[in-house]
Amino acid sequence: MLFNNDFVTFCLFFTMINSFAQKEIIPLWDGDIPNAQKTEEQEVIENGDIIKISLVQNPTLEVFLPAEPSATGQAVIICPGGGYHYLSYDWEGTDIAKWFNSKGITAFVLKYRLPNSKSIKVSYKAPLQDAQRAIRIIRSQSKKWNINQNKIGIIGFSAGGHLASTLGTQFDRPNTFKEQPLDMISARPDFMALIYPVVTMQEDYTHKGSQESLLGDNTTDILKTQYSNELHITKSTPPTFLVHSTDDKSVPVENSLNLYKALKDNDVKVEMHIYPTGGHGYALAIDKGYLQSWTDRLEDWLANL
């Protein structure tokens, strides 16, 4: 009988631990994925110092919920960076989600399709299609996660910042596929936070790697203009929070400076923090001196929207 009790206790403990470990991962698309084609390509996950995901085949949202008593009703979609070549999935994704949870904010890490995948028909359209779909799914199921559907924003890092700012400025881009009722829901984020973001595709200040990954080696001026988000600011662009470092050698600080000016000129609420040093790709900036306080500034800004 003692053995049986111990065995039952072990089973209950194992079940409890297993339930805590379960993740809610939501496919963005039911059935056929739009703008996709069948190939032999396989998704790649590299487990090094940073988890890198490339050649995304099935875009998803991974859900991170705060403890219910601390939930604020705000939610955010997180777009990891990686030059539109891969996703820094933990460094600029799940780690960020856990930080948001600590502030009572529900977080969703977006595993979006990358334009270098052969499984995409029109490469540059896929990331925005996935981001539009992501916010529509969250809005449609906001009650399920105790979210205020008017407090759903987006944050992006580096090339993920380009995707986030594309959604923030071009959320109403018409679909080129057969729509479902879900696709009628507004895809406008209620706020956006852009951390050392790629914003422009113009030659003077773009991140060449992101530009080539998104638009191809021999792109056109029309596409460069279409995906230079500083050129698409309107009074409907959501309130924006910007962080950049002056010494960023990968993505020039002018990406944020020019976006700030365009937002200000269109009377869009914007807050910007430029740090003298920090370089690029620092995520939460742990042990990076006072650069680490950028998350405190974001917390203040979110609380006062």
Side-chain angles (χ1 to χ4, degrees):
M1 181 61 70
L2 181 61
F3 171 80
N4 287 341
N5 286 339
D6 286 346
F7 182 72
V8 169
T9 300
F10 172 78
C11 288
L12 288 172
F13 177 75
F14 182 80
T15 301
M16 182 179 69
I17 293 298
N18 211 32
S19 67
F20 281 127
Q22 285 179 348
K23 299 177 181 178
E24 184 178 7
I25 297 179
I26 304 166
L28 292 186
W29 304 98
D30 297 325
D32 293 336
I33 299 173
N35 189 27
Q37 57 194 359
K38 295 288 185 183
T39 69
E40 297 300 316
E41 200 172 64
Q42 299 291 316
E43 191 166 297
V44 176
I45 301 176
E46 298 177 49
N47 289 294
D49 291 342
I50 297 174
I51 296 174
K52 295 181 179 179
I53 302 178
S54 55
L55 303 178
V56 171
Q57 302 297 302
N58 296 300
T60 60
L61 281 170
E62 184 171 352
V63 185
F64 289 79
L65 298 173
E68 191 170 333
S70 63
T72 64
Q74 285 181 315
V76 64
I77 299 167
I78 302 167
C79 301
Y84 279 124
H85 186 72
Y86 61 85
L87 304 178
S88 298
Y89 195 76
D90 55 349
W91 181 245
E92 294 171 342
T94 57
D95 283 1
I96 307 301
K98 293 168 188 174
W99 178 86
F100 275 112
N101 280 179
S102 75
K103 308 303 176 185
I105 299 169
T106 302
F108 301 82
V109 180
L110 177 61
K111 188 181 76 170
Y112 56 92
R113 285 175 291 167
L114 297 160
N116 58 347
S117 169
K118 295 177 182 177
S119 299
I120 300 173
K121 291 179 181 178
V122 183
S123 59
Y124 54 83
K125 290 185 177 182
L128 178 58
Q129 289 170 337
D130 289 349
Q132 287 176 315
R133 184 71 166 196
I135 195 166
R136 286 168 171 149
I137 288 173
I138 295 167
R139 237 176 218 129
S140 70
Q141 301 183 45
S142 57
K143 290 183 180 178
K144 171 183 174 181
W145 296 301
N146 297 314
I147 293 168
N148 183 327
Q149 65 175 347
N150 298 314
K151 293 184 177 182
I152 303 169
I154 192 164
I155 185 172
F157 297 77
S158 193
H162 184 267
L163 176 55
S165 62
T166 304
L167 183 67
T169 57
Q170 304 184 54
F171 51 85
D172 53 359
R173 175 82 62 81
N175 289 316
T176 55
F177 54 85
K178 185 177 180 179
E179 294 182 326
Q180 300 176 5
L182 181 61
D183 300 308
M184 298 294 100
I185 295 173
S186 172
R188 179 186 180 273
D190 295 299
F191 60 87
M192 61 178 175
L194 310 175
I195 316 304
Y196 43 86
V198 179
V199 173
T200 192
M201 290 287 132
Q202 302 297 315
E203 294 298 332
D204 47 2
Y205 297 122
T206 192
H207 176 246
K208 198 65 179 175
S210 296
Q211 184 206 61
E212 290 177 354
S213 292
L214 182 65
L215 304 181
D217 295 336
N218 299 304
T219 189
T220 65
D221 288 340
I222 291 174
L223 281 178
K224 288 178 186 177
T225 298
Q226 183 176 326
Y227 287 93
S228 292
N229 294 321
E230 76 279 11
L231 303 178
H232 299 284
I233 304 300
T234 70
K235 295 188 185 301
S236 296
T237 303
T240 302
F241 178 89
L242 290 161
V243 172
H244 222 119
S245 298
T246 302
D247 67 346
D248 191 329
K249 297 296 191 291
S250 297
V251 178
V253 69
E254 282 80 3
N255 280 264
S256 288
L257 294 174
N258 292 337
L259 182 63
Y260 176 90
K261 184 178 187 306
L263 290 162
K264 181 180 73 71
D265 290 347
N266 282 274
D267 297 321
V268 177
K269 291 182 179 180
V270 57
E271 179 170 318
M272 180 170 63
H273 297 272
I274 303 295
Y275 292 83
T277 59
H280 187 78
Y282 40 79
L284 292 172
I286 305 296
D287 294 329
K288 295 289 185 182
Y290 79 105
L291 179 61
Q292 182 174 309
S293 69
W294 79 259
T295 53
D296 296 331
R297 308 288 74 75
L298 176 59
E299 181 184 4
D300 291 342
W301 183 77
L302 288 170
N304 289 282
L305 278 175

